[in-house]
């Protein structure tokens, strides 16, 4: 029986993971998949109470005791420097070496896009975000803090091994999924060392995938073009920071963060699955959060665990829920978080996966 750790976290993370849990239980019943769901109350509350976000022993247990981890979001106004989120979220990504941050972006309904003329098939992008290095490693420091001469250094660390494995993962995925093109987003014109490494590795590895088209684009130009011509993009590979920014931008093209799932992966190891969005303090506790990103994330998790049919059933149920207009206000609906979760559960029983 797959053992899954649920880590709701903070803010709307708690609300959307409750719905994802409900949907997992429903699909488990319909598809006869027994799931062992274990809740972990890591987050700001616990951090403030005990002064540590996650202990070494807890990290070890999360790493070795589960087949998958499903996280809501971390971030709380009471922790302004976000220390606990870094410890828990970046802690797991780095420590478990989950080097692929997979972020699929699909337009489920044209009315969700802020673009004037766009059909569902026009936006179907999969972002491969490097997840274990770049400017996220936390190497740096402050000098003369609090003075007019203050200096802040944040190092951008890029290794050949790290670049190669994310680039290869993108090409492998493209080939396996029958995708035609991989685009590298970089900033090699200004950041010559990191950008140069990415470009060289992209060309070298790309040679091994002659069946896949490849192009390298500066990330600023890509941000523009993705809005103007989203259909040009298929698989995108980017460093940690560029991938982070591009994934929010891409989500905006298809209806926003309430629909964007993601997976942190290292082939052969348990994955960490989370919606792309954060804890949204502006709407937390108001029953306004869209649970579909978390629900689609649960589907991504089941797919990775080998339950493709259950994953397809969830996706079909989400599409049916959307078709009937049973959505939260961010998608133009009038329902609450809880009610949308209920609709997905109901639809699960009727749809063919
Ligand atoms: P956010 O993703 O929480 O919110 C951005 C905007 O999108 C807000 O207006 C919010 O209301 C809206 N939104 C997000 N998810 C939504 C949903 N499911 N339904 C409806 N609307 C939704 O980003 P932020 O405001 O920059 O960050 C808030 C906190 O979350 C910060 O502490 C940040 O560091 C943290 N954060 C955590 C994660 C994570 O844990 N993976 C990801 C992003 C941000
Ligand atoms: C995300 C988030 C995180 C990131 C933050 C909360 C550190 O924005 O998962 O996209 O930048 O990776
Ligand atoms: Mn982000």
């Amino acid at each position: 029986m797959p053992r899954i750790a649920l880590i709701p976290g903070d803010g709307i993370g708690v609300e959307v993971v409750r719905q994802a849990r409900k949907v997992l239980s429903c699909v488990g019943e319909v598809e006869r998949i027994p799931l062992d769901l274990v809740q972990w109350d890591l987050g700001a509350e616990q951090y403030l109470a005990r002064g540590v976000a996650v202990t070494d022993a807890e990290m070890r247990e999360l790493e070795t005791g589960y087949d998958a981890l499903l996280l809501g979001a971390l971030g709380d106004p009471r922790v302004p420097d976000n220390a606990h989120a870094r410890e828990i979220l970046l802690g797991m990504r780095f420590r478990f070496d989950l080097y692929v941050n997979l972020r699929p972006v699909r337009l489920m309904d044209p009315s969700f896009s802020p673009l004037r003329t766009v059909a569902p098939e026009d936006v179907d992008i999969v972002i491969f975000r490097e997840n274990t290095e770049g400017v996220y490693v936390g190497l740096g420091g402050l000098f003369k803090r609090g003075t007019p001469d203050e200096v802040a250094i944040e190092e951008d660390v890029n290794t050949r091994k790290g670049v190669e494995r994310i680039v290869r993962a993108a090409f492998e995925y493209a080939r396996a999924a029958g995708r035609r093109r991989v685009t590298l987003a970089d900033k090699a014109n200004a950041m010559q060392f990191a950008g140069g490494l990415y470009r060289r590795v992209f060309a070298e590895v790309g040679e091994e995938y002659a069946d896949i088209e490849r192009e390298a684009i500066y990330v600023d130009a890509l941000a523009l073009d993705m809005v103007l011509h989203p259909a040009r993009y298929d698989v995108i590979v980017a460093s940690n920071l560029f991938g982070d920014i591009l994934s929010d931008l891409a989500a905006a093209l298809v209806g926003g963060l309430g629909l964007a799932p993601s997976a942190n992966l290292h082939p052969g190891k348990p994955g960490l699955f989370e919606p792309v969005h954060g804890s949204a303090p502006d709407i937390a506790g108001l029953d306004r959060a869209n649970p579909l990103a978390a629900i689609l994330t649960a589907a991504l998790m089941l797919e990775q665990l080998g339950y493709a049919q259950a994953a397809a059933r969830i996706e079909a149920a989400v599409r049916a829920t959307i078709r009937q207009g049973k959505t939260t206000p961010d998608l133009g609906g009038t329902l609450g978080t809880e009610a949308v979760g209920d609709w997905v559960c109901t639809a699960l029983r009727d749809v063919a996966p």
Side-chain angles (χ1 to χ4, degrees):
M1 181 182 341
R3 194 153 187 260
I4 296 164
L6 300 177
I7 310 168
D10 305 322
I12 66 163
V14 177
E15 301 166 53
V16 299
V17 167
R18 194 177 295 133
Q19 302 314 311
R21 180 180 195 143
K22 189 161 77 189
V23 169
L24 280 170
S25 301
C26 292
V27 83
E29 249 173 60
V30 176
E31 294 280 341
R32 295 182 206 292
I33 304 168
L35 296 169
D36 184 10
L37 307 175
V38 182
Q39 181 132 336
W40 282 64
D41 289 324
L42 300 174
E45 202 63 54
Q46 206 179 92
Y47 172 65
L48 292 168
R50 64 177 185 171
V52 53
V54 55
T55 67
D56 205 50
E58 286 166 342
M59 271 292 191
R60 253 198 318 275
E61 196 184 334
L62 285 167
E63 185 175 13
T64 56
Y66 294 89
D67 299 296
L69 314 168
L70 180 65
L71 179 121
L74 293 159
D76 187 297
R78 293 171 298 170
V79 189
D81 67 353
N82 230 10
H84 72 301
R86 273 198 307 282
E87 237 183 88
I88 299 168
L89 179 60
L90 301 186
M92 287 195 283
R93 289 178 184 169
F94 288 135
R95 181 167 169 156
F96 307 166
D97 200 29
L98 304 171
Y99 65 89
V100 175
N101 194 326
L102 175 85
R103 299 187 153 185
V105 182
R106 281 167 311 163
L107 180 58
M108 291 188 143
D109 186 314
S111 75
F112 294 162
S113 182
L115 302 179
R116 253 175 303 151
T117 52
V118 71
E121 61 275 14
D122 290 344
V123 196
D124 184 2
I125 299 170
V126 182
I127 297 174
F128 277 72
R129 168 185 177 192
E130 202 293 318
N131 214 28
T132 50
E133 44 184 55
V135 287
Y136 276 70
V137 297
L139 276 180
L142 291 176
F143 178 49
K144 298 190 180 177
R145 185 186 167 139
T147 74
D149 298 326
E150 181 160 356
V151 177
I153 294 176
E154 199 88 56
E155 296 288 357
D156 184 8
V157 175
N158 300 272
T159 66
R160 173 165 270 272
K161 173 184 152 193
V163 173
E164 191 169 331
R165 64 185 183 172
I166 189 65
V167 166
R168 192 171 290 285
F171 278 106
E172 275 299 316
Y173 172 87
R175 182 175 277 170
R179 299 269 180 162
R180 75 199 135 79
R181 182 192 288 172
V182 178
T183 301
L184 168 69
D186 66 32
K187 192 63 193 162
N189 49 355
M191 298 160 68
Q192 55 172 321
F193 306 119
L197 177 62
Y198 263 91
R199 287 220 166 188
R200 277 181 282 123
V201 170
F202 185 64
E204 271 170 43
V205 173
E207 283 296 309
E208 297 172 34
Y209 298 84
D211 47 322
I212 313 287
E213 285 173 37
R214 63 173 194 273
E215 61 173 343
I217 301 189
Y218 300 133
V219 65
D220 49 350
L222 174 60
L224 172 93
D225 201 44
M226 206 199 257
V227 174
L228 295 178
H229 307 109
R232 278 196 196 149
Y233 298 97
D234 196 353
V235 175
I236 293 177
V237 61
S239 65
N240 210 334
L241 179 63
F242 296 157
D244 177 46
I245 298 167
L246 290 176
S247 52
D248 271 32
L249 172 65
L253 302 180
V254 299
L257 290 170
L259 281 172
S262 87
N264 303 268
L265 305 169
H266 180 133
K269 289 191 184 195
L272 165 64
F273 299 81
E274 44 166 341
V276 173
H277 67 72
S279 55
D282 54 335
I283 55 166
L286 300 177
D287 195 37
R288 284 177 68 91
N290 185 347
L292 296 179
I295 290 169
L296 290 167
T297 298
L300 204 53
M301 178 180 79
L302 288 179
E303 193 185 326
Q304 288 285 329
L305 287 169
Y307 300 104
Q309 182 169 307
R313 184 179 286 281
I314 294 179
E315 195 189 312
V318 166
R319 287 182 184 276
T321 303
I322 287 171
R323 246 190 333 271
Q324 296 168 63
K326 306 298 180 191
T327 57
T328 41
D330 55 309
L331 295 180
T334 54
L335 294 187
T337 310
E338 186 87 38
V340 172
D342 289 340
W343 273 100
V344 175
C345 272
T346 306
L348 270 177
R349 302 181 195 280
D350 304 331
V351 292

